[in-house]
Amino acid sequence: MLAAMPPTPTTPPDRGERRIRDRGDACPGALRLHAADDGLLARLRLPGGLLTRHQLCALATAAERLGDGALSVTSRGNAELRGLTDGCGAELAELLRDAGLLPSDTHERVRNVVASPLAGLDGLGSADVQLWARELDALLCASDRAAGLSGRFLFALDDGRGDVAGLGADVTLLAGADGRAVLRVGRHAVRVPATDAARAALAAAEAFLTAAAGAGTGAWRVRELPEGHEIGVDESLERAGVAAEPLPHVTGTERSAPGAAPEPPEDRPEGPGTGPLPGVVAGPDGWTVSVAAPLGRLTAAQLRQLLPAPANEVRLTPWRGAVVPGFADRGTARAHLDALGRAGLITGTDSPWWGVGACTGRPGCAKSLADVRADVTPGRGGLPVYWSGCERRCGRPQGEYVDVVATRDGAYRVTAHGSPVPVPSRAELEGTIATARTRTTK
Ligand code: SF4
């Protein structure tokens, strides 16, 4: 059952608030290609990061035939094709449609759903939120209102382990061990039955749309709503027929309102979370292989190698990795992990590329002050390190990391724990980063 559609204000009330933007959402999609300096760019939303074998092969084919031969894994577990040739849009759309990667043309950019990658695989979570992701995806695509969400609006479905709950989503569901889930949106936190979790997430998103229209400031994200424009989550849940129990809780950097009751045990503190470590993972029903993509890039050949027969599913992760479930025993999982290591993927935390990331930089991004991917240096251990070609820091990780940003004088600035360090030479750069990575947190 879909939520009944509440009235949408046609004329925003004049509350004297300043619009934060006047332009429409130009976020790239599979159908709306972005003209980058290295060619056209397509961003494909993959709810839960899920790709079937057929879809994986379609993306590999698209990368080879139309793009630069590789695929980027984004910080939302989505996929990007770069270096696409002019005029390839129709052929790309047909490839994706045939593979089931375009279930709705009108909703293709709003299917931003991250879900715990190991849900249902390692026996640790409280719910298989990958199933919630599929249900939410179907509900989103069936909702006319949801087509009005920004391409930046994010849902996070956490199976209770606290990995994706800290990714700064607009709507977060956190599964509990009692068959219920905590729904968080803005300052609201309510508990809902797990069976209604996906419908509750959609209802919360629709409530945001109503609040955003009322504010009239052009907000795309929940955190952009001005003060005084509360999101009517409770009313929206009621219209959707979801029984919700209010929780005295506020989100974001605030933890609990003064005098609030203790937080429920399943509502874990927010934080950066950590994705699956590379290696093999045991579960009640089999073994899973976990790898990471060096600098978030997978060649078409590596993509195809991810899935050995008869495995039929890959989940891309918000930590720019992939998990491959479906191995009967540890030996076959280990053999596949080793094969992926030989193919150039990160298969252990002892890899010098583990924890190292970079934005697109030159030549793909016109804003970049450097070819950061050429400048990146590997290293071992400690904090993640992220290289950016400019101050925007696209795709940077959540939580603490070593921040390496190109500067106008052709150098980089390294910042860790709030202490910027100017680095004039490359030799000093490597030493500074190594030191910053191993500094202990204050
Ligand atoms: S951080 Fe700057 S240089 Fe890097 S991709 Fe973003 S805009 Fe481009």
Side-chain angles (χ1 to χ4, degrees):
M1 183 177 71
L2 293 177
M5 188 182 296
T8 302
T10 51
T11 307
D14 180 8
R15 300 175 67 110
E17 281 131 4
R18 197 167 54 86
R19 283 189 67 81
I20 53 177
R21 60 180 63 88
D22 286 312
R23 60 190 168 85
D25 176 12
C27 204
L31 300 175
R32 179 190 288 175
L33 307 186
H34 168 71
D37 274 20
D38 57 349
L40 297 175
L41 177 154
R43 186 173 299 157
L44 284 67
R45 271 66 177 187
L46 307 173
L50 179 68
L51 284 170
T52 64
R53 171 181 297 280
H54 182 40
Q55 292 168 341
L56 194 82
C57 291
L59 288 184
T61 300
E64 282 175 332
R65 193 190 299 167
L66 307 173
D68 63 6
L71 176 138
S72 301
V73 184
T74 77
S75 58
R76 293 178 165 196
N78 288 323
E80 278 183 2
L81 293 166
R82 302 193 65 98
L84 295 165
T85 51
D86 283 345
C88 76
E91 185 177 353
L92 175 64
E94 191 181 337
L95 253 171
L96 300 177
R97 214 170 264 124
D98 285 351
L101 287 165
L102 265 180
S104 168
D105 286 7
T106 50
H107 294 73
E108 62 108 349
R109 295 183 310 125
V110 306
R111 302 165 61 231
N112 291 297
V113 183
V114 293
S116 300
L118 288 174
L121 300 178
D122 61 358
L124 293 183
S126 296
D128 188 348
V129 292
Q130 287 283 333
L131 298 178
W132 294 4
R134 292 174 212 185
E135 184 183 354
L136 176 57
D137 185 24
L139 290 171
L140 280 169
C141 291
S143 164
D144 291 340
R145 292 209 72 209
L149 290 169
S150 153
R152 291 166 172 77
F153 194 90
L154 180 65
F155 297 88
L157 314 183
D158 193 302
D159 71 355
R161 74 184 70 212
D163 55 356
V164 299
L167 293 181
D170 298 279
V171 174
T172 298
L173 282 167
L174 190 63
D178 59 354
R180 295 189 291 175
V182 172
L183 170 76
R184 294 196 309 234
V185 51
R187 292 189 176 88
H188 275 78
V190 297
R191 216 185 316 249
V192 298
T195 48
D196 291 335
R199 283 196 303 122
L202 174 66
E206 292 180 337
F208 162 75
L209 285 170
T210 300
T217 56
W220 290 339
R221 306 289 309 268
V222 166
R223 61 173 176 259
E224 294 175 350
L225 274 178
E227 284 295 322
H229 289 274
E230 296 300 320
I231 302 173
V233 177
D234 297 337
E235 298 81 356
S236 193
L237 289 172
E238 195 176 334
R239 278 192 297 272
V242 176
E245 176 193 335
L247 292 170
H249 181 72
V250 289
T251 61
T253 53
E254 305 166 273
R255 294 308 310 150
S256 291
E263 293 164 16
E266 66 272 41
D267 188 7
R268 296 182 188 174
E270 291 183 11
T274 53
L277 297 177
V280 294
V281 182
D285 300 317
W287 290 77
T288 297
V289 168
S290 171
V291 293
L295 299 183
R297 294 278 282 171
L298 293 167
T299 66
Q302 288 171 332
L303 268 178
R304 292 194 179 94
Q305 243 181 301
L306 274 177
L307 259 186
N312 191 40
E313 177 183 324
V314 163
R315 299 174 187 175
L316 301 184
T317 80
W319 297 273
R320 297 183 169 90
V323 298
V324 188
F327 295 88
D329 55 71
R330 182 187 182 91
T332 50
R334 185 76 224 180
H336 187 55
L337 183 78
D338 292 343
L340 293 179
R342 290 191 295 276
L345 299 184
I346 297 168
T347 57
T349 54
D350 56 350
S351 164
W353 291 105
W354 171 246
V356 181
C359 77
T360 299
R362 283 185 192 153
C365 178
K367 292 188 173 65
S368 185
L369 301 171
D371 184 351
V372 287
R373 287 173 172 264
D375 290 342
V376 164
T377 57
R380 283 182 198 277
L383 285 177
V385 54
Y386 197 77
W387 296 61
S388 303
C390 79
E391 300 287 343
R392 290 182 66 173
R393 299 173 174 82
C394 300
R396 65 187 179 277
Q398 297 277 324
E400 275 200 307
Y401 69 99
V402 177
D403 184 39
V404 185
V405 182
T407 56
R408 294 204 172 275
D409 55 3
Y412 285 91
R413 186 181 64 251
V414 179
T415 306
H417 308 297
S419 310
V421 184
V423 190
S425 75
R426 187 177 177 85
E428 286 184 4
L429 179 65
E430 292 179 12
T432 305
I433 291 171
T435 304
R437 291 191 84 179
T438 54
R439 279 179 62 181
T440 51
T441 308
K442 283 184 281 197

